[in-house]
């Protein structure tokens, strides 16, 4: 046994000296207490271990291999019944590099990695697939084709917030996600005039499940500076599921940097809900507007404002959203507020304190919730 162990250690040393790889990881702790309108106290404990590895494939470092694995432990001891979830995942497993097609460089990424569309509100999933990027003249072209059916549903955006811990069977470390084939093509024209950029995106999400609820999206966006430290974004998306009706998602956002350490943003999201000629808008991924609940981007008008402040070792962010229903009449539902703060005690140790709140109307007073969490991160 000792000889076998010595052989593996010696082999690892030889490989390490021959291949200039990099690796690291994080240990995270999140202790959270939540209180709802009925004064029910819920305690959640989350601990996670994340390890990553980067290995160059070619001597010039043009092609590289990346892998990342993590383990997460979730515990809800209060109130009973006790819920425990263990999650294993490989959110990153890819090979990336560049080839030349004639005189045109083509960047490629193949494997598993996070995929986000131009709006950042339609799809935000870990997928297995291929991403290609190139520039032809003044046009940047991005194309992606992938599959979600082999990724872990337990780590999908907003899954646990939507379904709850008690609905996940104990012992299920890895649950296959819904089988969807996303295909994305994005054309970007950067600085086409007066430093303004135009983006066109087409997205298809083919549903391979029994529901066969495929979705199709077309997006156009305009963004750029209005002044030296004032920027804007305009994005609108037309979507359809059956080609018999259409829906719309539109976003307007202003970002202002009064100083280097302060950032202010003002944003409004509109997601159709059956008014006028539109049907209910639906995203591919489930997005959590708050860590306390799911607010789907459908039948909603969501104005928001936020401010972030950063110093050398400290960062804080405050954001407040108003959520309105727009199906029949404009109707206020609730306000979502959050405060996040992080302090770097040392180069490899960070602590944070978060406060989240949902203030609902009297009709849905039971939706009112608050949470307080203490976080810690150790890097190695």
């Amino acid at each position: 046994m000792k000889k076998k162990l010595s052989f593996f250690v010696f082999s690892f040393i030889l490989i390490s000296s021959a291949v200039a790889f990099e690796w690291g990881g994080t240990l995270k702790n999140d202790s959270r207490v939540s209180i709802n309108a009925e004064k029910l106290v819920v305690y959640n404990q989350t601990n996670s271990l994340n390890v990553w590895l980067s290995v160059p494939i070619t001597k010039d470092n043009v092609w590289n291999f990346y892998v990342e694995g993590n383990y997460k432990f979730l515990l809800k001891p209060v109130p009973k019944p006790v819920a425990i979830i263990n999650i294993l995942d490989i959110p990153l497993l890819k090979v990336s590099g560049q080839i030349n097609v004639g005189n045109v460089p083509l960047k490629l990424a193949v494997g598993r990695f996070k995929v986000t569309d131009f709006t950042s509100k339609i799809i935000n999933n870990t997928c297995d697939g291929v991403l290609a990027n190139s520039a032809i003249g003044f046009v940047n072209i991005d194309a992606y084709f992938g599959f979600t059916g082999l990724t872990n549903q337990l780590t999908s955006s907003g899954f646990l917030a939507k379904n709850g811990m008690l609905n996940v069977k104990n012992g299920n470390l890895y649950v296959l996600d819904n089988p969807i084939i996303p295909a994305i093509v994005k054309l970007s024209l950067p600085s086409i005039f007066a430093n303004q950029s135009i983006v066109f995106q087409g997205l298809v999400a083919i549903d391979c499940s029994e529901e066969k609820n495929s979705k199709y999206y077309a997006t156009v966006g305009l963004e750029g500076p209005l002044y030296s430290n004032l920027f804007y974004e305009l994005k609108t998306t037309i979507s359809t599921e059956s080609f018999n009706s259409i829906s719309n998602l539109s976003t307007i956002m202003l970002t202002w940097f009064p100083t280097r350490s302060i950032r202010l943003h003002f944003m409004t999201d509109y997601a159709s809900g059956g008014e006028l000629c539109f049907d209910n808008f639906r995203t591919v991924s489930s997005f959590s507007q708050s860590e306390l609940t799911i607010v789907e981007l459908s039948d909603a008008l969501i104005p928001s404002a936020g401010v972030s402040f950063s110093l050398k070792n400290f960062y804080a962010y405050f954001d407040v959203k108003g959520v309105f229903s727009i199906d029949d009449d404009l109707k206020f539902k609730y306000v979502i507020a959050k405060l996040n703060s992080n302090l770097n005690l040392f180069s490899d140790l960070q602590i944070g304190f978060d406060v989240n709140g949902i203030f609902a109307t009297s009709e849905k007073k039971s939706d009112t919730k608050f949470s307080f969490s203490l976080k810690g991160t150790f890097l190695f």
Side-chain angles (χ1 to χ4, degrees), residues 121 237 247-251 268-275 278-283 289 295-302 324-327:
K121 295 178 173 67
T237 299
S247 58
N248 177 251
L249 171 68
S250 295
T251 300
T268 298
D269 289 317
Y270 160 79
S272 60
E275 71 286 349
F278 295 123
D279 198 358
N280 285 7
F281 186 85
R282 293 180 177 87
T283 62
Q289 299 286 344
V295 179
E296 298 288 358
L297 275 176
S298 180
D299 179 27
L301 181 68
I302 308 177
F324 296 82
S325 173
I326 55 176
D327 188 1

Side-chain angles (χ1 to χ4, degrees), residues 238-273:
I238 295 296
S239 172
T240 184
E241 296 181 24
S242 61
F243 293 100
N244 295 322
S245 61
I246 60 173
S247 58
N248 177 251
L249 171 68
S250 295
T251 300
I252 179 171
M253 178 173 171
L254 291 175
T255 304
W256 180 39
F257 297 88
T259 67
R260 283 189 173 184
S261 58
I262 299 177
R263 174 183 179 269
L264 298 169
H265 84 261
F266 307 91
M267 180 171 65
T268 298
D269 289 317
Y270 160 79
S272 60

Side-chain angles (χ1 to χ4, degrees), residues 67-70 88-93 112 126 128 151-152 174:
V67 63
E68 180 181 324
N70 61 49
L88 285 177
D89 196 16
I90 303 176
L92 179 65
L93 182 66
R112 175 173 296 182
T126 298
D128 299 307
T151 58
N152 193 350
Y174 199 104

Side-chain angles (χ1 to χ4, degrees), residues 263-266 304-308 317-320:
R263 174 183 179 269
L264 298 169
H265 84 261
F266 307 91
S304 64
V307 57
S308 62
Y317 174 76
F318 175 74
D319 178 83
V320 60

Side-chain angles (χ1 to χ4, degrees), residues 87-107:
I87 301 174
L88 285 177
D89 196 16
I90 303 176
L92 179 65
L93 182 66
K94 74 171 182 178
V95 173
S96 64
Q98 179 177 302
I99 61 175
N100 292 321
V101 181
N103 295 324
V104 179
L106 177 65
K107 295 180 181 179

Side-chain angles (χ1 to χ4, degrees), residues 78-224:
V78 178
K80 294 184 178 181
V82 176
I84 298 175
I85 300 178
N86 293 280
I87 301 174
L88 285 177
D89 196 16
I90 303 176
L92 179 65
L93 182 66
K94 74 171 182 178
V95 173
S96 64
Q98 179 177 302
I99 61 175
N100 292 321
V101 181
N103 295 324
V104 179
L106 177 65
K107 295 180 181 179
L108 293 171
V110 181
R112 175 173 296 182
F113 47 91
K114 179 66 73 69
V115 176
T116 304
D117 74 292
F118 171 61
T119 69
S120 301
K121 295 178 173 67
I122 299 174
I123 184 170
N124 184 27
N125 266 66
T126 298
C127 304
D128 299 307
V130 180
L131 173 66
N133 169 266
S134 186
I136 301 177
F138 57 88
V139 180
N140 292 334
I141 304 173
D142 293 273
Y144 177 80
F145 184 84
F147 182 64
T148 65
L150 299 177
T151 58
N152 193 350
Q153 190 180 51
L154 297 178
T155 59
S156 294
S157 176
F159 177 80
L160 289 177
K162 184 176 183 179
N163 296 277
M165 291 179 61
L166 292 175
N167 292 326
V168 179
K169 294 181 180 179
N170 287 336
N172 283 351
L173 301 175
Y174 199 104
V175 179
L176 293 179
D177 206 346
N178 298 324
I180 296 173
I181 298 176
I184 307 172
V185 176
K186 184 176 73 172
L187 304 178
S188 306
L189 286 72
S191 301
I192 191 67
F193 65 92
N195 291 325
Q196 310 301 303
S197 300
I198 301 177
V199 177
F200 301 93
Q201 176 185 269
L203 191 157
V204 176
I206 302 174
D207 190 349
C208 301
S209 67
E210 295 180 356
E211 297 181 0
K212 303 296 182 183
N213 192 19
S214 299
K215 303 178 180 69
Y216 308 86
Y217 305 86
T219 302
V220 60
L222 182 65
E223 57 188 14

Side-chain angles (χ1 to χ4, degrees), residues 13-68:
I13 294 174
L14 285 179
I15 295 173
S16 301
S17 60
V19 181
F21 67 87
E22 297 180 354
W23 72 280
T26 58
L27 282 169
K28 293 185 178 181
N29 174 85
D30 185 347
S31 302
R32 180 185 304 273
V33 176
S34 303
I35 305 172
N36 66 7
E38 284 76 30
K39 298 182 180 180
L40 176 66
V41 178
V42 178
Y43 174 70
N44 289 275
Q45 177 65 39
T46 303
N47 298 97
S48 62
L49 169 65
N50 180 279
V51 179
W52 60 269
L53 175 70
S54 172
V55 181
I57 298 176
T58 57
K59 292 182 179 180
D60 54 6
N61 290 333
V62 173
W63 285 88
N64 294 274
F65 170 74
Y66 304 93
V67 63
E68 180 181 324

